[in-house]
Amino acid sequence: MGTSEATTETVRKQNQSDHQENQEKIEARVGWRYTLEQIRRDTTARIGLYIIGFITAVAIFAWIDAKLLDYAIASRFWYNPVNDPANARILLPPVGTENTFGSGMWQYPLGTDHRGRDVLVRLVYGSRIAIQVGIVSTGFGLICGTLVGAVAGYHGGWIDDALMRIVETLYAIPFLVLVIAFMAAFGRDLTFAMIGVGITTIPVFARLIRSRVVSVREEEYIEAARAAGVRDRNIILRHVIPNSFAPVLVQATLQVGISILIVAGLSFLGFGAQPPTPSWGQMLSQSRGYMLPDPWFSLWPGIAILITVIGFNLLGDGLRDALDPRINN
């Protein structure tokens, strides 16, 4: 009898140990640590993170030199990317190639533009515009869209109808027309370009988070917070939005690349950053008249835009896999 009781106690302790271990595994599969670990294991996400990290580091260097040092580093080691250097060679091809304007030189690894400015240097200093525009415009749309969608989904009724009709009105207007009209009314400055692009992204985030909030607001912990007398504002900010934010974060990562493409298109049309400030879209616009004699002039900014957008898309795919509950379960 004693042996039987000892065996039963051993089995009970083993079951408790297995249950605790399983519970720890479940808890380990949620939260930021698990998300970062999933991103670290995902090859495509790591590649995207490396690309974004490199472009961001280049953009920070360019911003410091342009804004704080007035292109002192560029003027010391290369050519000032804004001003035309004296005795410049125009439309030189990349080093090791030739065209009707001459042969490539190591002094200009990627060639020169129609004013003799080094294409590589202008690509470096144009990265700050791309990163700034992508992050600021997406952040503006993310904050506004998340608040609008969360309030609409949480309250429902006429508040939901009113807010979502406004959002759908913005969604019905072609984004390029809306941004150009906004900039025509307020100015062609880069700041208004970022705000205009941010406004066009509000419906994307508002509709996405509203669909999640409609289900989250019926959870028991939301009902408990209401019963405890917590204000609706605090419930939305502390409970509803954090528990609905995963797909919004993934969309925000993808939207940064889309915003970079939009502003590059605006710069191509003459909106956004104005000359002589370097920007990739502006470089594409300036290369239109030189496609035949010097196709490299237009190739390099296109490649820079392509690599940057791919980096954000790869990171977004990794975040989606890491935050997808169907994969986690």
Side-chain angles (χ1 to χ4, degrees):
M1 185 68 178
T3 303
S4 177
E5 290 179 355
T7 303
T8 303
E9 182 66 18
T10 301
V11 172
R12 186 179 65 81
K13 290 182 178 180
Q14 182 65 34
N15 290 337
Q16 289 179 350
S17 177
D18 293 342
H19 176 74
Q20 183 177 2
E21 183 178 353
N22 292 333
Q23 191 68 25
E24 290 176 355
K25 289 181 179 180
I26 293 173
E27 292 176 356
R29 299 184 64 152
V30 297
W32 286 106
R33 288 186 178 180
Y34 174 74
T35 301
L36 294 176
E37 181 65 20
Q38 289 294 101
I39 294 175
R40 188 183 68 82
R41 294 179 179 179
D42 193 303
T43 303
T44 58
R46 288 204 311 272
I47 294 174
L49 198 58
Y50 294 153
I51 293 174
I52 295 171
F54 175 75
I55 299 295
T56 303
V58 171
I60 292 173
F61 159 77
W63 183 86
I64 292 174
D65 188 37
K67 293 294 185 180
L68 304 182
L69 304 179
D70 194 22
Y71 297 106
I73 298 177
S75 301
R76 173 67 177 82
F77 294 99
W78 304 297
Y79 282 122
N80 189 312
V82 175
N83 300 324
D84 304 333
N87 302 319
R89 300 285 300 277
I90 66 170
L91 294 176
L92 288 181
V95 61
T97 60
E98 297 182 359
N99 65 6
T100 56
F101 296 92
S103 301
M105 304 167 59
W106 282 108
Q107 188 177 6
Y108 314 103
L110 301 184
T112 60
D113 64 6
H114 63 301
R115 293 185 176 178
R117 297 170 296 193
D118 191 344
V119 172
L120 176 60
V121 177
R122 286 181 64 81
L123 284 177
V124 169
Y125 286 81
S127 64
R128 64 190 176 96
I129 301 296
I131 296 298
Q132 177 185 352
V133 161
I135 293 177
V136 172
S137 60
T138 302
F140 180 84
L142 172 66
I143 295 173
C144 296
T146 298
L147 292 177
V148 170
V151 170
Y154 178 78
H155 289 286
W158 69 269
I159 296 179
D160 184 16
D161 291 337
L163 291 178
M164 295 313 294
R165 294 302 82 76
I166 296 174
V167 168
E168 290 173 0
T169 300
L170 288 176
Y171 201 75
I173 303 174
F175 70 89
L176 196 57
V177 174
L178 181 61
V179 175
I180 291 177
F182 181 84
M183 296 183 67
F186 295 98
R188 296 191 175 189
D189 187 75
L190 183 64
T191 302
F192 296 116
M194 292 187 292
I195 296 175
V197 174
I199 291 174
T200 64
T201 63
I202 290 177
V204 177
F205 295 111
R207 297 175 68 180
L208 181 59
I209 197 169
R210 177 189 174 277
S211 63
R212 294 296 299 269
V213 170
V214 168
S215 60
V216 169
R217 70 181 182 185
E218 305 298 334
E219 297 291 340
E220 294 180 357
Y221 60 87
I222 300 297
E223 295 294 336
R226 289 173 181 163
V230 180
R231 294 182 178 181
D232 289 340
R233 179 186 62 186
N234 293 334
I235 293 176
I236 293 173
L237 295 178
R238 296 180 182 178
H239 302 289
V240 174
I241 292 179
N243 287 281
S244 308
F245 198 67
V248 179
L249 180 61
V250 175
Q251 181 61 38
T253 307
L254 299 173
Q255 191 65 44
V256 173
I258 298 173
S259 298
I260 292 175
L261 283 175
I262 294 174
V263 175
L266 291 172
S267 298
F268 185 86
L269 297 175
F271 297 88
Q274 299 299 311
T277 303
S279 71
W280 295 342
Q282 182 191 114
M283 293 175 68
L284 283 173
S285 178
Q286 293 171 347
S287 67
R288 285 179 296 176
Y290 308 96
M291 296 291 289
L292 292 179
D294 192 3
W296 300 102
F297 187 10
S298 61
L299 182 63
W300 299 125
I303 292 177
I305 294 172
L306 176 65
I307 292 176
T308 305
V309 173
I310 287 177
F312 281 103
N313 287 347
L314 291 177
L315 180 60
D317 288 341
L319 279 176
R320 181 186 58 193
D321 294 340
L323 299 175
D324 193 337
R326 294 172 297 180
I327 297 177
N328 292 347
N329 293 329

